[in-house]
């Protein structure tokens, strides 16, 4: 089947992202035009959703306009970093997106790490004095993942997991 016969949701689309975490988490996204079909569909917005892996927390989402940029589109989205905290635990969030078009159709995509983006760590001190440890992780398949450890218990779990990996257990 040719690309002209694919449904909008089946279009092969690449979205690269860069993450900067602090009091708010900023995702800089780039949608790549792979086969010349997206422009004719009129991409308008990108809806980014962070999904906690255990499913114990509701997804956190935000929508931003897509801005034409060369042979693709860009968007910047911001999310509240404290909204990603799982009290006393380590929350692991997958980053997914959906490109939305002028006619209301959409294409779901997984956000991949842009270029040579390496994992990053940061500390966010909340107004209450509680600490969040934030880590951007890049999987073997280049998917972006955010890890957020809340408070001392969350930090302890991160340290324990690291020790287990180092000891090979």
């Amino acid at each position: 089947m040719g690309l002209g016969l694919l449904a909008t949701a089946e279009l092969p689309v690449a979205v690269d992202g860069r993450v900067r975490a602090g009091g708010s988490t900023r995702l800089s996204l780039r949608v790549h035009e792979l086969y010349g079909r997206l422009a004719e569909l009129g991409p308008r917005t990108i809806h980014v959703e962070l999904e906690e892996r255990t499913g114990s927390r509701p997804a956190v989402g935000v929508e931003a306009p897509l801005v034409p940029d060369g042979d693709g589109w860009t968007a910047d989205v911001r999310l509240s970093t404290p909204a990603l905290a799982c009290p006393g635990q380590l929350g692991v969030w997958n980053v997914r997106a959906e490109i939305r078009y002028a006619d209301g159709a959409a294409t779901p995509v997984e956000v991949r790490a842009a270029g040579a983006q390496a994992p990053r760590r940061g500390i966010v001190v909340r107004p209450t004095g509680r600490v969040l440890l934030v880590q951007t992780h890049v999987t073997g398949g280049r998917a972006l993942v955010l890890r957020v450890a809340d408070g001392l218990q969350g930090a302890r779990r991160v340290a324990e997991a690291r020790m287990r990996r180092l000891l090979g257990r």
Side-chain angles (χ1 to χ4, degrees), residues 86-149:
C86 299
Q89 298 181 18
L90 172 63
V92 181
W93 299 84
N94 294 322
V95 182
R96 302 199 191 319
E98 187 177 76
I99 298 167
R100 296 181 175 172
Y101 305 100
D103 67 357
T107 302
V109 294
E110 188 165 29
V111 178
R112 302 283 181 210
Q117 179 167 318
R120 292 182 166 186
R121 293 183 182 99
I123 296 174
V124 176
V125 180
R126 296 165 79 175
T128 61
R130 192 167 179 120
V131 174
L132 294 176
L133 301 177
V134 182
Q135 179 186 28
T136 302
H137 177 71
V138 179
T139 69
R142 304 287 308 152
L144 278 176
V145 175
L146 288 179
R147 294 177 177 159
V148 180

Side-chain angles (χ1 to χ4, degrees), residues 76-92:
D76 284 317
V77 297
R78 289 186 187 270
L79 300 142
S80 165
T81 303
L84 303 175
C86 299
Q89 298 181 18
L90 172 63
V92 181

